[in-house]
Amino acid sequence: MSEFHALKIAAVDQLTPNAVALTFEIPENLKEAFSFKAGQYITLKHLMDGTELRRAYSISSPPSSGKLTVGIKKMEGGTFSVYANEHLKAGDTIEVMPPEGRFVFEGSSPKKIAAFAAGSGITPIMSIAQTVLESHPENTFVLVFGNQSPEETMYFEQLQNLKEQYGERFFVQYVYSRSNQPDALFGRIERSTVNFVLKNKFKGTEFDGFYLCGPEEMIDQVSETLKENGVSADKIHFELFTSSDTEDELAEGLEGKTEVKVILDDETYTFVMDKKELVLDAVLKQDIDAPYSCQGGVCSSCIARLTEGKAEMVKNQILTDGEIEEGFVLTCQSHPTSSKITIDYDDV
């Protein structure tokens, strides 16, 4: 289920002084496995100084391109992001898990879509925007994109090309926090930005969907403002690139052990864990190759179905109420609260 494939890097393109785009070669026998929907991500695995690193990166190329490209921004204090920007080159090989994720656009009828992205949150939006624009001749796409400056704006040239290609069907409102530019807003994406777009620039426009990607604070503020403007929750789709740290107060109140049964790739494993531990951590300690990526509740790689017993999540910003009722949990965020649990990674 968490199978990785060694893919060769076909190209490394410099997007900004601190960001690169990696394009992978997909062998013919893996074309189907690596087919994807606009907005999905891949997980990269790499061994650095004896430590295995897994990082999830959104695919920026549209499915129609036949390419598999991700954008990677160098993060201060980062490990793999720094390595990718400073050392990776065409011809190198990286272990890659097939695409996954729920932050996707699908549709063929005419749509009016708006997106709010900050920094590297543009990567899945690039794939979604191109797919929206090419999937129907009447589709329109409005993008509000926040960065420090034009020089630090990932995919700036590609966005300008989309403006030239699609004319009035594609609109970009840049927002810069450290640079005053003509036709750009100064500051960060916040309540006033959303109101400016909805009540001024596109007053009277009925959008069919909103796609938000970036840090948690931005997503929360934009979501709340959209709802204040009468946008229903089912039209708001988001993906977190960073999440605020949440203190694990749940663990403090738990005592005792839990007998765990794990079903993965048609095999069954059993072991005993401390309730204070997170399920995914305990599973990995048993050398069970469960799927995971961010380990912070941001991606959806570690989802499993709880078919026996009870577990509680420290935080959840991905699963819907309906999915939770069906027994789905993020194992990286879950503590067992009963004496026995069964976690099924295959039934998702």
Side-chain angles (χ1 to χ4, degrees):
M1 188 173 180
S2 56
E3 186 177 3
F4 283 84
H5 301 272
L7 297 185
K8 185 180 289 186
I9 298 174
V12 178
D13 297 306
Q14 199 76 40
L15 297 175
T16 74
N18 295 297
V20 294
L22 305 183
T23 299
F24 296 93
E25 286 183 18
I26 310 298
E28 198 61 41
N29 66 315
L30 292 177
K31 293 283 189 184
E32 186 176 345
F34 280 90
S35 64
F36 63 91
K37 297 175 182 177
Q40 289 192 302
Y41 64 87
I42 53 175
T43 299
L44 309 184
K45 181 172 72 172
H46 185 66
L47 200 64
M48 289 187 68
D49 300 324
T51 301
E52 180 183 289
L53 300 178
R54 296 192 186 193
R55 297 291 186 269
Y57 292 105
S58 292
I59 302 167
S60 57
S61 50
S64 62
S65 68
K67 294 182 178 181
L68 184 71
T69 302
V70 297
I72 301 178
K73 183 179 180 180
K74 186 192 298 183
M75 305 303 292
E76 187 176 347
T79 48
F80 184 81
S81 67
V82 173
Y83 174 77
N85 273 266
E86 297 181 356
H87 299 288
L88 285 181
K89 59 187 182 302
D92 288 346
T93 299
I94 291 285
E95 294 286 320
V96 185
M97 189 188 293
E100 55 187 335
R102 305 151 163 232
F103 182 66
V104 298
F105 170 80
E106 295 178 280
S108 55
S109 58
K111 299 283 185 184
K112 290 183 174 66
I113 302 295
F116 293 81
S120 56
I122 189 61
T123 47
I125 301 300
M126 285 299 298
S127 182
I128 291 171
Q130 293 171 86
T131 301
V132 168
L133 292 166
E134 68 188 24
S135 61
H136 196 283
E138 295 178 27
N139 281 359
T140 59
F141 197 94
V142 173
L143 170 63
V144 181
F145 188 16
N147 290 277
Q148 293 181 357
S149 65
E151 295 74 27
E152 290 294 338
T153 301
M154 295 175 68
Y155 294 103
F156 183 82
E157 185 178 333
Q158 291 86 337
L159 289 170
Q160 297 303 107
N161 290 340
L162 287 179
K163 286 175 66 176
E164 291 180 15
Q165 182 177 354
Y166 291 102
E168 294 182 0
R169 292 208 289 127
F170 181 64
F171 173 85
V172 186
Q173 175 63 67
Y174 292 106
V175 183
Y176 297 122
S177 61
R178 297 185 183 178
S179 177
N180 278 305
Q181 297 291 327
D183 301 320
L185 300 177
F186 184 78
R188 299 182 185 276
I189 296 175
E190 54 190 5
R191 179 190 176 95
S192 60
T193 319
V194 180
N195 284 329
F196 172 72
V197 171
L198 294 186
K199 297 179 177 180
N200 184 312
K201 284 281 187 179
F202 293 92
K203 184 178 181 180
T205 300
E206 183 72 27
F207 287 100
D208 298 293
F210 294 85
Y211 288 79
L212 325 178
C213 193
E216 185 175 6
E217 184 180 359
M218 183 211 82
I219 286 176
D220 287 345
Q221 198 161 39
V222 172
S223 295
E224 289 172 12
T225 310
L226 288 174
K227 290 173 185 175
E228 288 171 4
N229 280 277
V231 177
S232 58
D234 64 329
K235 287 187 177 182
I236 303 172
H237 313 278
F238 66 88
E239 182 158 85
L240 294 165
F241 262 34
T242 59
S243 180
S244 59
D245 292 331
T246 301
E247 199 164 321
D248 191 351
E249 297 177 355
L250 180 59
E252 297 173 9
L254 295 173
E255 299 289 344
K257 306 283 186 180
T258 293
E259 183 181 322
V260 183
K261 181 188 292 184
V262 174
I263 301 170
L264 175 66
D265 295 335
D266 296 323
E267 292 190 35
T268 301
Y269 308 84
T270 58
F271 60 90
V272 175
M273 66 174 286
D274 194 306
K275 289 181 180 178
K276 290 185 181 293
E277 280 190 284
L278 293 166
V279 171
L280 179 62
D281 291 344
V283 168
L284 295 177
K285 282 182 183 178
Q286 298 295 316
D287 289 327
I288 300 170
D289 191 21
Y292 74 92
S293 184
C294 73
Q295 292 184 279
V298 175
C299 74
S300 56
S301 297
C302 71
I303 287 176
R305 190 189 293 269
L306 183 69
T307 59
E308 179 187 11
K310 294 181 179 180
E312 287 187 38
M313 287 181 282
V314 178
K315 64 178 178 180
N316 166 50
Q317 294 158 309
I318 297 173
L319 300 178
T320 64
D321 290 342
E323 288 170 330
I324 293 172
E325 287 177 12
E326 289 181 42
F328 289 110
V329 293
L330 299 172
T331 55
C332 76
Q333 296 296 309
S334 298
H335 288 285
T337 57
S338 57
S339 59
K340 290 184 179 181
I341 63 168
T342 297
I343 294 288
D344 191 341
Y345 283 101
D346 293 344
D347 188 18
V348 294

